[in-house]
Amino acid sequence: MEFINRRKSRQIQVGRVAVGGDAPVSVQSMTNTDTRDVPSTLNQIKQLYMAGCEIVRVAVMDSEAATSLAAIVAQSPLPVIADIHFDYRLALQSIAAGVHGLRLNPGNIGQKNQVREIVSAAKEKSIPIRIGVNAGSLDKALVQKYGGITPQAMVESAFRHLRLLEECEYDQIKISLKASEVPLMIQAYRLLAGQVDYPLHLGVTEAGTVMRGAVKSAVGIGILLAEGIGDTIRVSLTGDPIMEVGVGYDILRSLGLRTRGVEMISCPTCGRCQIDLIPIAEEVEKKLAHITTPLRVAVMGCAVNGPGEAKGADLGIAGGKGFALLFRQGQVVARLEQQDIIQALVTEAEALAREREEAGILEGNQSIGPDIARNSFGG
Ligand code: SF4
């Protein structure tokens, strides 16, 4: 579905993940463990990786956290970005520890020579820096100048940070302009997108708990992506970061920008439904979460829209009275009793995914191929 005309951005490299240019829009998340606790942080990174995350960011609060990065980076299946505020020494330590990118706002670092030091270390290791403007921490002078937190104030903030990096002849940059208010972040990104060709990292910050945060993120990130704006995304949820990755892919799949994993089509049920469909849909979704091959699976309640959707998907069921018809690539292949539906659908989906993988139909994780994902961290 090619209805999106993506903005032409320059491409940068975060470890083995390309961001910008013609690279697929990548999915990021951030750990919420204490970065000084290496085993817990690595454990979460591996879970994020299994969920399809492609770039991970970790908070670097102090020197001990920066020191831990060496062990984290060495064992991480994902490129690691160090999130730094204020202290340039933490940036230098993180670069020395081998991180694949930094998130820091050069205007908050202090002196120009300190920014220069960071940039020269980043250049040496060829790692990019994200300027991450956040509406909640805008410079007071800018807020005053614009009479509030406005899209223009956010964009000017980005340009102030950007100039500091450009003065050091540095261009391995991406930019984010996050806000918790969706209209504000949309306008800010739109404004900036027309003025620079750096790749843009999209996000609605402090979006909220899982359900509300997912909706806000889908609206904010989704509108921009549909306009062709955005090269990498992070969904911020007050919850398990693993959920962020799933929501991120759902946004991208909804727009036809990524196809990784199972796209579930399930009906809302109504008075015509004569099987217990909701637990079936929930269970099937859970049991197929490990599949990385693109697959459309329809779980439909009755004979009105059911057969059409089930036929159009790779696999599907259309419910009858206490039973369901199983469709595989448009053909009815079985009549299932209620208690057998979940298992049959899961078995068929796994078999079809295997066949597709063998045929080379994949949309893996940009960081490492899906085989490694399955084999290395299966436990
Ligand atoms: Fe109702 Fe059937 Fe539509 Fe499901 S598919 S919402 S059961 S009419």
Side-chain angles (χ1 to χ4, degrees), residues 203-215:
V204 178
T205 193
E206 290 104 33
T209 49
V210 174
M211 178 72 158
R212 291 190 175 163
V215 172

Side-chain angles (χ1 to χ4, degrees), residues 69-233:
L69 285 175
I72 293 170
V73 170
Q75 294 172 72
S76 169
L78 295 174
V80 177
I81 293 185
D83 191 276
I84 313 273
H85 287 278
F86 310 121
D87 189 342
Y88 85 110
R89 288 165 305 181
L90 296 179
L92 294 176
Q93 264 186 284
S94 302
I95 296 172
V99 293
H100 304 92
L102 295 176
R103 181 270 164 135
L104 102 181
N105 291 346
N108 303 340
I109 284 294
Q111 295 161 14
K112 278 194 182 174
N113 62 333
Q114 295 173 338
V115 175
R116 245 175 231 293
E117 257 192 81
I118 296 172
V119 168
S120 98
K123 269 187 192 166
E124 205 171 297
K125 295 272 183 88
S126 304
I127 62 169
I129 296 177
R130 168 160 68 94
I131 293 168
V133 173
N134 192 316
S137 56
L138 265 192
D139 189 52
K140 284 198 180 66
L142 271 176
V143 178
Q144 262 181 355
K145 176 178 169 186
Y146 287 94
I149 303 169
T150 64
Q152 291 76 9
M154 291 177 69
V155 169
E156 182 164 338
S157 170
F159 273 111
R160 287 184 180 186
H161 295 301
L162 193 54
R163 260 177 238 125
L164 288 168
L165 294 182
E166 287 179 338
E167 278 168 18
C168 303
E169 291 171 356
Y170 187 71
D171 63 0
Q172 297 302 294
I173 298 166
K174 58 189 163 111
I175 306 173
S176 62
L177 298 170
K178 298 190 186 179
S180 58
E181 279 175 55
V182 170
L184 176 61
M185 66 72 89
I186 289 176
Q187 290 175 79
Y189 277 108
R190 280 178 180 161
L191 197 58
L192 182 68
Q195 299 182 55
V196 295
D197 69 350
Y198 292 112
L200 299 180
H201 164 126
L202 301 185
V204 178
T205 193
E206 290 104 33
T209 49
V210 174
M211 178 72 158
R212 291 190 175 163
V215 172
K216 277 177 88 168
S217 298
V219 174
I221 295 172
I223 285 175
L224 288 164
L225 288 172
E227 293 173 5
I229 297 170
D231 302 283
T232 182
I233 66 170

